[in-house]
């Protein structure tokens, strides 16, 4: 059985990628591996802005984890609706690197990501996750830019 890695950050574009990826997984008979990465750069930026409040760092980490659980909850619900086997993982690290590492270690057949993440500000500081994944992935990558009807 094949496997598709769907990386999500819970944004509108990631959810479109989830919708497309789950439908594709069902049509191909593939299972889905869902990934959310708690972005260490977000935590580093938070720490720089709030250097005198270390307890806030842990609160921010907990907030991001909860955000990841919600994003993966959306993915799991879509898989359950369509009868697609799913496993999910939350990692702390750097999204592009961790997507690539997981794709390699789990030998997935394809990676699906959304085109845009959360904000343009994050893009300025962190670069494009989808662009990096496309350049370095060990397998085909599908970048979903908008709503696609594959029914």
């Amino acid at each position: 059985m094949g496997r598709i890695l769907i990386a999500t950050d819970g944004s509108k574009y990631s959810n479109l990628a989830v919708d497309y990826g789950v439908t594709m997984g069902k049509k191909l008979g593939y299972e889905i591996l869902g990934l959310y990465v708690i972005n260490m750069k977000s935590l580093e930026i938070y720490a720089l802005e709030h250097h005198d409040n270390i307890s806030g760092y842990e609160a921010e980490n907990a907030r991001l984890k909860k955000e990841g659980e919600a994003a993966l909850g959306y993915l799991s619900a879509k898989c359950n609706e369509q009868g697609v086997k799913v496993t999910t993982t939350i990692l702390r690290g750097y999204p592009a690197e961790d997507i690539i590492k997981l794709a390699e270690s789990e030998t997935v057949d394809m990676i699906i990501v959304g085109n845009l993440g959360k904000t343009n500000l994050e893009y300025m500081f962190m670069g494009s996750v989808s662009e990096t994944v496309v350049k370095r992935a060990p397998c085909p990558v599908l970048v979903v830019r908008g709503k696609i009807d594959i029914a």
Side-chain angles (χ1 to χ4, degrees):
M1 174 183 282
R3 298 174 78 193
I4 297 173
L5 170 58
I6 302 176
T8 180
D9 65 6
S11 67
K12 176 175 92 170
Y13 294 100
S14 281
N15 286 345
L16 290 172
V18 166
D19 295 345
Y20 187 82
V22 171
T23 301
M24 178 182 269
K26 179 178 175 82
K27 287 182 182 271
L28 295 173
Y30 282 20
E31 66 182 64
I32 302 297
L33 176 57
L35 174 64
Y36 178 90
V37 180
I38 297 173
N39 194 332
M40 290 301 295
K41 285 192 179 182
S42 294
L43 291 173
E44 291 163 3
I45 290 168
Y46 181 88
L48 286 172
E49 291 175 350
H50 302 89
H51 57 85
D52 57 343
N53 180 5
I54 203 69
S55 64
Y57 179 89
E58 285 307 315
E60 181 67 2
N61 184 56
R63 184 189 71 76
L64 291 171
K65 184 175 184 218
K66 190 171 187 168
E67 196 174 90
E69 290 167 350
L72 292 174
Y74 177 84
L75 184 145
S76 293
K78 290 293 181 178
C79 286
N80 291 335
E81 284 172 15
Q82 295 200 36
V84 176
K85 183 178 177 189
V86 61
T87 55
T88 61
T89 303
I90 295 178
L91 300 174
R92 272 179 54 152
Y94 300 96
E97 291 176 23
D98 286 309
I99 292 167
I100 293 162
K101 284 179 194 172
L102 190 62
E104 290 170 343
S105 69
E106 296 293 327
T107 55
V108 300
D109 298 285
M110 175 181 278
I111 299 169
I112 298 179
V113 294
N115 185 45
L116 297 171
K118 301 252 176 190
T119 68
N120 287 331
L121 180 64
E122 286 177 333
Y123 177 84
M124 284 182 0
F125 285 110
M126 298 178 225
S128 170
V129 170
S130 59
E131 185 178 331
T132 302
V133 171
V134 165
K135 289 178 182 176
R136 296 183 34 218
C139 60
V141 178
L142 175 64
V143 179
V144 178
R145 288 184 51 99
K147 189 162 178 57
I148 302 170
D149 185 17
I150 63 166

